[in-house]
Each structure stands twice: as C-alpha cells, then as structure tokens.
Amino acid sequence: MKNKDIIIVTLFSQVLSCNIILMALFLGLDLSTQQLKGVVIRDDFTFVYETLVVFDLELPQYKTTKGRVLHKNGVVTSPVLMWVDAISLLFCKLKNGLGDRIADIASIGGAAQQHGSVYWKDFENIKLDNNLALSKQFETHNVFTVTNSPTWEDSSTTEYCNELSSLHTPQKIAIISGSVPYERFTGNQISKVQKEFPEIYNNTERISLVSSFLPSILLGLYAPIEVSDASGMNLLDVQTRKWSQVLCDQELLSKLGPDPVFFGTAIGTIHDYFVSNYGFNKKCMICSMTGDNPGNLSFIDDLAQENSLNTHSPNTKLTIVVSLGTSDTIIFPIKAYPYSFENLLPSVDSYTGSILSHPNAPNEWAVLICYKNGSLAREFICNNLQENINNNPKLVSDKWGTFEKAYNYTQISPDQFGFYYILPEIIPKAKGIHRFTRISSREGHDRDSVVQTPSSSLYKHELISSIKIIDADARLIIKSQVMSMKLDCLRKNLDVRSDIEKLVITGGASKNDLILQTIADVFGLPTYTIDHDGDLGDESKDVSSLSMPAMAGAMSALKSFQKNFPPNASNSFNPTKSTYFLKLAKPPIHSNSLEYMNQMADFTYLRDYLASHT
Ligand SMILES: Nc1ncnc2c1ncn2[C@@H]1O[C@H](COP(=O)(O)OP(=O)(O)O)[C@@H](O)[C@H]1O
Ligand SMILES: O=C(CO)[C@@H](O)[C@H](O)COP(=O)(O)O
C-alpha cells in the first residue's frame, strides 16, 4: 500500500464509524453504441482502473455488428439483454481488477448513448435471486416488453415525425422541446411502438432512456430520466425542464415517470444483488446518468471550474467538444434559450440541430449537432481501401496506417468533394455515397449528372454504386465530415473565429492525427485533447481513450458524494484539484485553412443540393 492510501484509510476510518465507505473510489460507466466502459478514479481524481466490454466480441450470442442490429427500412436496434449481460460482465472484470477494493466504490455515475429506449413492466416487483444471472431472471419474468431496443441510428419513424409536425408545426415543437421532430428522438420511437404494437405499449409500465435504464438496473428500481438526455426525446419542455403537457398525454406521462433530474443527482443505493455477487458496499450511492454528449460537456465544465475558468460568464469564449465516437457529434453550451414564439426564425431549416437543457446549470442550454455517418463511415472507406490492397482486410493489422497513406497521396483539392451517407444522415437529411468532380464544360457528360454552383463551377455528380472507393476518398471523407461540422456551427449563428476558443476532440477517432489536424485547419482553430498531470503508471492513458463520458460519470459520482457527505471534522473528505488538463493537439496550418475557406461556398451548395435530391 502506498503512503497516500494509508493516509486515506486513516481519514476514512472515522467515516466508517458513520457507516460510510473506507478509502473512497468512484466508478463512471459509459454504455455507448459499441461497448460498455468503466473507469475508476480516486477522491483526488487520479486514475485507478479501467475496463470495458466490447459487445460484438464478448457477447457474440447477440449477433450484433458494432453493437447493434440493422434491419430493413431503417430500423436499428440493440438487444436490451445484451446490455444487461454487459453490465454483469463488466462487474466481473471490475471485481477481478480491483479485488476487495470494489467495496471502496462510494458512488457510481455514468452516461450512455442518447435517444435509445427501454420498455419495462413489473421490474420493481421481481425478487432477484442472487444465485442466478440477471439477464436470465429478466428474461424469465418478461421484464422487457420490447426486447430489441430502438437506438439513435434508427431512421424508421419519419411517418410519426410528420404526424407530430402536422399536429403542431415543426417550429412549435422546436420551441418547446429544443428540436424539430427527429427520427431517432425517443418520443417518435415511442409513437411507433404505440401505433404499430398497441398491446405491447399498453403492457409497458415504464419507458427509460439507455441512460436511465443503466442506473435502474443498479438500483433494482426505475431511475428518473436526466434533464439533458430527456431533451433528446421531443417530449420535454426544455425551458421548464418538465415533461411537456402539449407533447405528452396522460398515459405517456405515467410511463415516463417523474420529471427529469439534473446529472449526478443521488438517487439511491446499489441493489443487494450487486453487493452479494461482486462485493460492492451496500452504501454505494447511485447517481442519475446522462447522455454521452452532455456527459462530455459536463466533464469539460468540471475541468474548467477545477482550473478556475468561469465558463458561465457571458464573456467567456466557447470550448466546443467534438466527439468522434460511433457518431460524430458537436456540443457546446449556450447562455440564453434561442427559440421563442415571439421571434420566429426565418425558416424551419433555422431550427436544425438540437437545443438541450444543460446537464448541471439551471439557466443554461447546449447546442448539439449529430452526424450518423461518423467513425463507421470512415471505417467503411478504410476497409474498402484495404480490400483494394489485399482482398482480405483481416490480414492487414494496421488498417488506419493504410488509410493515412491513402490520405497523404492526395492534396486538399478544390476539384473534388465526397459525401458518405452510408446510413441515412441526420444533417443533412440525405443518403448514399456521392462524389463531385470539377469539370471544365458540360460537353461529353450526361446533363442530369452535372451540377452548377453559384460561382459557376461545374461538377460531375457520381453515385458510389457506379464507382469504386479510391485513395482520394480517404481525404475526401475527412474533408467533407469536418466541413459539415463547420457549416452547421455557422448555421447555428456561431462566428467561428470570434466565438470559439478551443475545440476539444474526444472519442475513438481522436487518436487519429490526420483528423485532429483537419479539424484545426477547417475551423482555423487549435484542437485539444485531454491529458493528465503526473504519472499514472503502466496503465497511463489519455482521457479521450479512457472515455470522456465515463470520466464525466466518475466525476459526477465524486461531486455527488461530496455534496451528500461534505468535508467536515468527522470525515475529513477533502478532494484535491483535478490533474486533468487540455493539451494542445494540433494548431491550424494557415495555408490549409485558407484553402478550406475558399472551398466552403461550393461545399455548401453541393451539400444542400444533395439534401434536396436524395
Ligand atoms: N486510429 C483511428 N483512426 C480513426 N478512427 C479510429 C481509430 N481508432 C479507433 N477509431 C474509431 O473509433 C470508433 C469507436 O469510438 P468509441 O468512442 O469507442 O465509440 P462508442 O463510444 O460510440 O462506442 C471505432 O468505430 C473506430 O472507427
Ligand atoms: O444520437 C446521438 C446524439 O444525438 C449520438 O451521439 C449517440 O449519443 C451515440 O453516441 P456514440 O456511441 O457515438 O458516442
């Protein structure tokens, strides 16, 4: 045992007499699209342990691809029992990794993929048998009325979005709920279950988001939904933070449970099943969990406060989080709610993107812009490039190395643009893979395949079905994805140069230097990742790869514990400052920034063209 541990043991031995926990640790979970991650930190924020369960690899019986199942007609689901098994497996790993110290976990927080829904009945009435697997018991008792949970990639609810729009108008729905109706938003997914499977709907007692399903399992009780994640449902009044009486009927209100709570609210203690099976302390507190993107926002906010930066002052320039997980998502805080019935915006398109209630600050909100074709679209290009080289991609281990080589073969040319909407995209609403190549005249080209931009440039438009993935696509996809991010920030009235100070990049693809550099160049702003001061030993990791949402969960658990057991003479709980900080990853290269700026007008025209032509 290190000296520091001995001191903490001494400090907490007094706490133990009050039946609290010795040598507090804090667990943060992240139930994302492809995996469940867990990060353990100490009360001084230092990293202790991390583990993860990759759904496809470790739970192959559920037959998922990248954690989900793609069905016909845009339906995308994940088996809810797979998530339950993932929790059991993660806790086994945690027990092996931490040994008896699992009992020192004082509090658990977390985050999860947004919008996905879980449908339950009779969950709170089950008497769990500590000797049987959780998933078996839930299966036997038919706890889940829908066994394949619709997730954020689902695009099968257009009909229900249109119905909602015609009932209220998209503007009214955006003013109340922060977003025009989106296919993945949970309210529209619930409408689909209600209309297409009325018996199942009637039989459903409670509906959770993935982020409230996770703490529900840990509590053995239905956990409340969290405010920021509730904003991704088209059901919440995001200004009052209460379920909207306009958008929810009485029956739905009863299934949603109480009004949402802030992120990190203490909501109970862990169920005895986890105490008996894994050695958790029975006093271990469970905190409300949020969506992965609001989790990122909360983590960056915590970090700024730890470093005495006041992100809540009106003059502070923005730090924007760009998450490159399965989705590519941008999130940033705003101090005033931008929509009102008195000042309608010029068009429905002006309401594109989402306004969420802030996870922690009562009078703030956040803008969220999400792209479905993020990492998996890049992987699609990457795998195709490898197949070009070697008909068996599995034989080549360094697939991102191949991608990087292909990227570097080509220049930032104004002569080509690519759009890679392998699954139907959220922003813009477009699908298919498209390449636009500049031509000097229409001659020799099919009339319908030539697009003329306002600057009189001519582009030949090709669909990927008729062309092959080539090296150029590596650069084109990154250019296109990042230019889209900038375009949508501009369309959300951000003056990129004067409003934004930093871009913090996180998620699996933040390991990729080319992407970090392209983001810096397109925005003309420096990109940052998160680093840690001091030696974390052999297990040293940057927070981006530890999972920022899981870190946010651990931080929220720590803060909640502190709030409920404030430092005083009897417990001496006194956490030190966080040692995480923003590390400059890539400054922008001026000549590249100019090049991208010059291409923005044509890019915008071509993206809008696709939105109205696919
Ligand atoms: N070196 C890399 N370059 C680009 N993308 C990468 C790299 N390493 C991992 N990724 C991407 O990261 C993605 C997973 O990110 P992650 O944040 O763990 O996802 P999620 O949290 O949604 O489950 C993978 O789908 C993969 O495409
Ligand atoms: O739909 C959204 C945000 O609105 C997605 O960002 C999901 O929250 C999935 O997150 P990742 O698994 O990509 O982190």
Side-chain angles (χ1 to χ4, degrees):
M1 192 184 278
K2 289 185 193 152
N3 280 348
K4 186 160 179 29
D5 289 354
I6 295 168
I7 295 166
I8 296 170
V9 170
T10 316
L11 296 179
F12 277 86
S13 57
Q14 295 157 30
V15 180
L16 194 67
S17 62
C18 320
N19 230 352
I20 310 173
I21 292 166
L22 185 71
M23 207 169 75
L25 300 178
F26 300 90
L27 170 63
L29 300 171
D30 174 16
L31 204 178
S32 62
T33 310
Q34 306 186 43
Q35 57 239 307
L36 172 65
K37 299 167 194 147
V39 176
V40 180
I41 60 169
R42 245 198 298 245
D43 60 339
D44 62 357
F45 298 93
T46 49
F47 170 82
V48 175
Y49 186 68
E50 74 149 343
T51 185
L52 84 167
V53 173
V54 178
F55 304 137
D56 294 1
L57 295 180
E58 294 173 80
L59 298 165
Q61 64 274 31
Y62 291 102
K63 299 187 169 60
T64 56
T65 306
K66 306 286 179 189
R68 73 290 197 250
V69 182
L70 304 178
H71 309 261
K72 280 187 293 198
N73 304 324
V75 174
V76 182
T77 62
S78 289
V80 65
L81 289 173
M82 174 182 81
W83 291 334
V84 175
D85 275 336
I87 297 169
S88 303
L89 188 52
L90 188 101
F91 283 175
C92 280
K93 292 184 177 193
L94 208 57
K95 189 179 169 189
N96 287 338
L98 289 180
D100 291 345
R101 294 188 68 197
I102 200 165
D104 298 334
I105 295 177
S107 179
I108 305 178
Q113 56 173 289
Q114 298 194 251
H115 319 291
S117 41
V118 173
Y119 301 76
W120 323 69
K121 78 163 171 44
D122 293 339
F123 168 62
E124 294 187 329
N125 299 332
I126 295 183
K127 170 108 191 56
L128 286 176
D129 181 337
N130 290 342
N131 300 312
L132 292 177
L134 267 189
S135 60
K136 265 276 153 285
Q137 299 188 61
F138 292 157
E139 197 176 9
T140 311
H141 289 89
N142 294 316
V143 162
F144 299 112
T145 54
V146 175
T147 52
N148 291 313
S149 286
T151 68
W152 66 277
E153 286 175 286
D154 186 284
S155 57
S156 67
T157 63
T158 308
E159 180 187 340
Y160 304 99
C161 293
N162 291 343
E163 256 177 40
L164 186 63
S165 289
S166 50
L167 199 65
H168 298 291
T169 76
Q171 288 92 333
K172 181 175 172 185
I173 296 154
I175 294 165
I176 298 172
S177 78
S179 305
V180 294
Y182 280 112
E183 277 79 357
R184 72 193 191 289
F185 272 46
T186 325
N188 309 310
Q189 295 291 340
I190 296 172
S191 294
K192 183 179 161 194
V193 174
Q194 185 187 8
K195 302 275 164 50
E196 296 181 16
F197 309 100
E199 265 180 48
I200 291 180
Y201 184 74
N202 292 337
N203 201 17
T204 297
E205 169 182 80
R206 182 60 81 100
I207 302 171
S208 295
L209 291 177
V210 186
S211 62
S212 60
F213 150 83
L214 183 51
S216 299
I217 296 287
L218 304 183
L219 290 169
L221 296 169
Y222 295 126
I225 293 178
E226 180 273 348
V227 287
S228 201
D229 213 18
S231 316
M233 301 174 85
N234 283 139
L235 297 178
L236 186 76
D237 181 326
V238 292
Q239 294 191 79
T240 62
R241 295 172 162 83
K242 297 193 181 314
W243 298 124
S244 163
Q245 302 288 331
V246 178
L247 300 173
C248 308
D249 62 25
Q250 285 309 312
E251 192 182 2
L252 179 56
L253 285 172
S254 76
K255 294 184 200 293
L256 293 173
D259 282 323
V261 297
F262 280 109
F263 177 39
T265 306
I267 51 175
T269 50
I270 198 161
H271 190 276
D272 181 57
Y273 181 90
F274 302 99
V275 177
S276 297
N277 280 287
Y278 304 100
F280 280 97
N281 191 300
K282 66 174 192 238
K283 295 282 174 188
C284 175
M285 229 169 70
I286 305 300
C287 300
S288 59
M289 302 190 187
T290 187
D292 46 8
N293 299 296
N296 289 339
L297 183 78
S298 173
F299 181 81
I300 293 298
D301 227 23
D302 284 346
L303 209 64
Q305 280 170 31
E306 287 298 323
N307 291 299
S308 310
L309 301 174
N310 185 2
T311 50
H312 300 278
S313 138
N315 301 324
T316 314
K317 277 192 167 194
L318 285 172
T319 296
I320 290 196
V321 185
V322 181
S323 167
L324 308 174
T326 306
S327 62
D328 282 353
T329 306
I330 289 180
I331 193 162
F332 58 89
I334 47 169
K335 315 239 178 290
Y337 190 64
Y339 304 155
S340 76
F341 287 108
E342 292 72 37
N343 293 310
L344 291 179
L345 301 181
S347 70
V348 176
D349 285 346
S350 322
Y351 294 90
T352 298
S354 297
I355 311 297
L356 313 182
S357 296
H358 194 286
N360 318 111
N363 292 311
E364 290 188 26
W365 289 266
V367 173
L368 176 137
I369 302 162
C370 178
Y371 307 95
K372 204 185 289 180
N373 294 283
S375 279
L376 298 183
R378 290 186 285 272
E379 265 189 60
F380 173 85
I381 301 297
C382 198
N383 293 339
N384 268 277
L385 288 173
Q386 286 210 330
E387 273 175 43
N388 292 353
I389 295 173
N390 170 341
N391 274 327
N392 186 351
K394 288 193 186 118
L395 287 179
V396 186
S397 56
D398 182 19
K399 68 177 187 178
W400 291 109
T402 307
F403 184 88
E404 197 167 323
K405 271 196 200 126
Y407 183 100
N408 287 324
Y409 283 144
T410 49
Q411 301 299 314
I412 316 169
S413 158
D415 297 336
Q416 267 194 330
F417 293 96
F419 295 87
Y420 304 82
Y421 306 132
I422 292 154
L423 290 179
E425 187 49 85
I426 299 165
I427 306 171
K429 282 198 172 189
K431 50 185 184 237
I433 304 179
H434 307 263
R435 195 184 292 147
F436 292 90
T437 309
R438 194 190 289 266
I439 49 176
S440 50
S441 94
R442 292 176 188 270
E443 229 166 276
H445 298 286
D446 172 9
R447 249 185 81 213
D448 292 341
S449 74
V450 177
V451 181
Q452 182 169 2
T453 67
S455 63
S456 298
S457 304
L458 293 174
Y459 289 92
K460 183 178 74 165
H461 174 203
E462 293 165 293
L463 259 174
I464 197 72
S465 53
S466 60
I467 52 175
K468 199 167 169 281
I469 295 293
I470 52 172
D471 285 343
D473 289 301
R475 190 182 278 272
L476 289 180
I477 187 171
I478 308 289
K479 168 168 104 168
S480 172
Q481 290 177 323
V482 181
M483 287 183 83
S484 259
M485 292 176 195
K486 181 173 176 189
L487 172 60
D488 294 314
C489 283
L490 294 170
R491 286 184 169 174
K492 280 285 154 221
N493 295 325
L494 274 189
D495 180 329
V496 168
R497 283 297 171 91
S498 59
D499 293 341
I500 308 177
E501 183 173 339
K502 295 187 181 89
L503 297 156
V504 180
I505 320 298
T506 184
S510 65
K511 288 184 214 127
N512 191 311
D513 279 350
L514 295 176
I515 304 178
L516 294 174
Q517 186 66 59
T518 310
I519 298 174
D521 293 347
V522 169
F523 280 80
L525 289 164
T527 51
Y528 290 78
T529 52
I530 309 281
D531 206 350
H532 186 278
D533 213 6
D535 181 19
L536 300 184
D538 291 344
E539 309 210 58
S540 178
K541 294 255 165 41
D542 63 43
V543 178
S544 305
S545 56
L546 286 178
S547 163
M548 200 188 277
M551 282 301 297
M555 292 278 232
S556 77
L558 193 160
K559 285 196 304 185
S560 192
F561 186 75
Q562 236 182 307
K563 199 165 143 198
N564 286 279
F565 303 103
N568 61 35
S570 73
N571 66 26
S572 307
F573 177 74
N574 190 16
T576 51
K577 275 182 163 244
S578 164
T579 43
Y580 295 100
F581 63 92
L582 296 181
K583 182 179 79 175
L584 177 67
K586 299 284 171 193
I589 299 170
H590 184 63
S591 55
N592 291 352
S593 296
L594 270 179
E595 187 59 61
Y596 287 120
M597 214 150 43
N598 291 337
Q599 295 181 26
M600 200 58 173
D602 278 3
F603 174 82
T604 304
Y605 185 84
L606 294 174
R607 202 188 81 164
D608 288 345
Y609 169 88
L610 282 181
S612 53
H613 285 81
T614 62

